[in-house]
Amino acid sequence: MDSSASPAPPAAPPPPPATAAYAAPPAPQVVHHYHHPEKSGGTAALLEAIPGLFQVFGIGHMYAGNVGTGLLFMFGYWMVAFVNFLLCFIIIGFFTWPLCWVAMMIISPLTAANSCKSR
């Protein structure tokens, strides 16, 4: 017997029929990039300071895109104001409430303006 003779390899399956699904090149992938305009730090500061005159803080943070921070400033200040209101019954609230309001009028617009710059 001759060892160089090996059995024939199995026949390859026939190629798929040439239809439109096989012949068309893949479609290019389209990526949409949406441009978000940069937020103004001055607008954020004004949206904090003007409503802050009426004891409402946090709107400038929401404008800057920090909704959680804005809600924290808003409800946090209202909680502090309520405690200061209760402290008014023992006179100390008449001193602490204006101090807290002035501190918020300084801190809140500055942080809102800075958060616009970091985005």
Side-chain angles (χ1 to χ4, degrees), residues 77-100:
Y77 178 75
W78 287 345
M79 284 178 37
V80 168
F82 179 72
V83 170
N84 282 320
F85 172 75
L86 294 176
L87 288 174
C88 284
F89 290 108
I90 57 172
I91 309 300
I92 188 107
F94 291 110
F95 301 105
T96 58
W97 198 341
L99 288 175
C100 291

Side-chain angles (χ1 to χ4, degrees), residues 4-5 9 11-12 14 30-32 36 44 50 54-55 61 63 65 87 90 92 95-96 100 105 110 112:
S4 65
V30 179
V31 179
H32 297 281
H36 297 285
I50 293 172
F54 304 101
Q55 309 283 321
H61 288 279
Y63 165 78
L87 288 174
I90 57 172
I92 188 107
F95 301 105
T96 58
C100 291
M105 285 296 286
L110 290 175

Side-chain angles (χ1 to χ4, degrees), residues 57 73 77 97-110:
F57 294 97
F73 269 71
Y77 178 75
W97 198 341
L99 288 175
C100 291
W101 179 78
V102 168
M104 282 295 286
M105 285 296 286
I106 294 170
I107 293 169
S108 188
L110 290 175

